[in-house]
């Protein structure tokens, strides 16, 4: 059984390490060229990783393009794991892998088909999600299901913490399926049909904060697109700021305009806590912001100077 790997995202690193650590042989790894990977969020250093693990590496611009097809043909694979890859693998590429391609999708399919499922789960305020191992076919995340792992979403989770669980479940599910694959089995069951449209992709500009939303909605957006994603943002005093971290606060300033800085957040032990901002309903405390590459927190965020200034959503 000739096994290969296709991936660039951090969510695949744990599984790739585990495959090698358990003594399974990989014929090679296909990843994105560095210039292409740099335009994707949460890209891992596959050059360094494959050098460390002693794995042959091929870098391509497009798995469906001439370089991608050439790479797959040269590896002569029975099964390829596609873990942490944003390009749909089309029929011409899939035909070059004899048994098929196994992918992972960070939701409990058929719920959450489409793009950015972890980010959307947080933005939509969901309380649970999961990860699915499946065979890839012509549909969007619609192939036969191999395995699924469910996990809760707490109030304190971010896209980063959830992707750690995705990475762990990728590793565990792949290690569970490998023995059967090596015996010549092709495990899987038909996926239930869903009428829900696939989730749309997200762009950096979709991180703009709408302060007229509730504090919970603002908080959910911030934690959904924080590092390693591009971040939520707004403008203040004519400058654009990235907001990496905030906290939900009880209470509401009656009649206050959404986006108004109510004042600094203070604690019994420190004045350097954060900046309280009124939302459409409720308030958030900004705990970490960045402007033009300069991360600001602590004293800056608790400075009375900003009280009465207004964050803008446009």
């Amino acid at each position: 059984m000739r096994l290969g790997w296709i991936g660039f995202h951090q969510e695949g690193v744990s599984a790739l390490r585990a495959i090698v650590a358990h003594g399974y042989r990989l014929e090679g790894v296909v990843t994105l060229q560095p210039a292409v990977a740099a335009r994707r969020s949460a890209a891992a250093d596959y050059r360094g990783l494959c050098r460390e693990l002693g794995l042959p590496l091929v870098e391509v611009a497009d798995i469906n393009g001439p370089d991608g097809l050439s790479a797959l043909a040269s590896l002569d694979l029975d099964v390829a794991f596609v873990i942490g890859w944003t390009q749909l693998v089309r029929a011409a590429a899939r035909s070059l892998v004899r048994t098929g391609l196994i992918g992972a999708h960070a939701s409990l399919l058929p719920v959450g088909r489409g793009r950015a499922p972890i980010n959307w789960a947080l933005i939509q305020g969901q309380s649970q999600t999961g990860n699915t191992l499946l065979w890839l076919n012509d549909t969007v995340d619609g192939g036969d299901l191999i395995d699924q792992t469910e996990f809760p979403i707490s109030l304190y989770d971010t896209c980063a913490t959830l992707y750690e669980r995705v990475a762990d479940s990728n590793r565990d599910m792949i290690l569970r399926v490998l023995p059967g694959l090596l015996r010549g089995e092709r495990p899987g069951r038909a996926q239930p049909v869903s009428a829900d449209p696939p989730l749309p992709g997200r762009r950096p500009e979709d991180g703009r904060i709408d302060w007229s939303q509730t504090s919970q909605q603002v908080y959910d957006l911030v934690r959904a697109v924080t590092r390693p994603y591009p971040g939520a943002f707004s403008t203040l005093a004519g400058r654009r700021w990235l907001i990496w971290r905030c906290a939900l606060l009880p209470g509401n300033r009656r009649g206050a305009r959404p986006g108004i800085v109510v004042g600094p957040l203070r604690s019994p032990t420190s004045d350097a806590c954060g900046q309280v901002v009124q939302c459409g309903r409720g308030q958030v405390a900004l705990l970490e912001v960045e402007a033009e590459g300069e991360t600001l927190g602590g004293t800056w965020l608790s400075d009375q100077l900003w009280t009465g200034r207004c964050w803008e959503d446009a």
Side-chain angles (χ1 to χ4, degrees), residues 11 81-84 101-113 117-118 129-136 140-151 163 165-174 176-177 188-192:
E11 71 177 87
F81 291 99
V82 185
I83 309 296
L101 289 83
I102 294 176
H105 185 74
S107 76
L108 295 172
L109 292 173
V111 176
R113 294 181 303 124
I118 288 294
T129 187
N131 195 20
T132 301
L133 202 67
L134 72 159
W135 292 100
L136 302 187
V140 177
D141 305 318
D144 287 352
L145 305 180
I146 299 171
D147 200 353
Q148 290 188 309
T149 301
E150 182 177 337
F151 41 82
Y163 266 115
R165 290 183 218 169
V166 169
D168 289 345
S169 60
N170 282 334
R171 176 197 63 210
D172 296 343
M173 291 191 293
I174 287 172
R176 284 199 292 266
V177 77
R189 58 184 174 86
Q191 185 177 156

Side-chain angles (χ1 to χ4, degrees), residues 19-302:
I19 287 175
V20 174
H22 281 73
Y24 294 107
R25 174 183 169 86
L26 287 174
E27 305 303 323
V29 173
V30 179
T31 193
L32 289 175
Q33 295 172 356
V36 180
R39 300 196 294 269
R40 307 289 198 273
S41 297
D45 175 16
Y46 263 75
R47 281 185 180 179
L49 179 63
C50 290
R51 189 182 309 116
E52 174 191 340
L53 299 177
L55 295 173
L57 177 66
V58 183
E59 297 173 344
V60 303
D62 184 351
I63 196 65
N64 303 297
D67 57 348
L69 298 178
S70 175
L72 289 175
S74 67
L75 290 173
D76 187 31
L77 301 174
D78 293 299
V79 171
F81 291 99
V82 185
I83 309 296
W85 193 259
T86 57
Q87 299 168 343
L88 293 176
V89 185
R90 304 195 183 280
R94 296 198 312 274
S95 70
L96 298 172
V97 181
R98 283 180 288 276
T99 300
L101 289 83
I102 294 176
H105 185 74
S107 76
L108 295 172
L109 292 173
V111 176
R113 294 181 303 124
R115 299 289 188 176
I118 288 294
N119 311 88
W120 282 116
L122 288 165
I123 290 168
Q124 294 170 354
Q126 297 176 17
S127 60
Q128 68 176 26
T129 187
N131 195 20
T132 301
L133 202 67
L134 72 159
W135 292 100
L136 302 187
N137 63 14
D138 285 328
T139 63
V140 177
D141 305 318
D144 287 352
L145 305 180
I146 299 171
D147 200 353
Q148 290 188 309
T149 301
E150 182 177 337
F151 41 82
I153 302 175
S154 79
L155 187 62
Y156 306 103
D157 274 313
T158 68
C159 56
T161 63
L162 290 183
Y163 266 115
E164 288 176 2
R165 290 183 218 169
V166 169
D168 289 345
S169 60
N170 282 334
R171 176 197 63 210
D172 296 343
M173 291 191 293
I174 287 172
L175 290 178
R176 284 199 292 266
V177 77
L178 270 168
L181 290 174
L182 296 180
R183 292 192 298 267
E185 300 171 5
R186 196 182 190 279
R189 58 184 174 86
Q191 185 177 156
V193 176
S194 173
D196 295 336
L199 296 170
R202 292 189 59 80
R203 304 165 298 171
E205 52 266 37
D206 294 329
R208 183 183 296 277
I209 294 174
D210 178 357
W211 296 103
S212 68
Q213 291 187 318
T214 67
S215 56
Q216 182 70 59
Q217 290 173 306
V218 171
Y219 174 78
D220 287 342
L221 175 64
V222 170
R223 66 188 181 130
V225 297
T226 191
R227 300 181 183 94
Y229 287 85
F233 66 92
S234 188
T235 56
L236 178 68
R239 299 174 72 187
R240 173 168 158 156
W241 306 77
L242 290 167
I243 298 171
W244 295 114
R245 191 163 55 97
C246 69
L248 278 171
L249 294 179
N252 202 45
R253 177 68 64 86
R254 187 184 298 270
R257 174 184 171 188
I260 285 287
V261 178
V262 175
L265 176 67
R266 303 190 184 280
S267 77
T269 58
S270 173
D271 288 337
C273 295
Q275 187 184 98
V276 180
V277 182
Q278 177 67 41
C279 302
R281 185 174 71 250
Q283 299 172 344
V284 295
L286 307 186
L287 303 178
E288 183 184 354
V289 300
E290 179 181 339
E292 300 176 358
E294 180 183 6
T295 299
L296 302 169
T299 303
W300 186 90
L301 281 173
S302 62

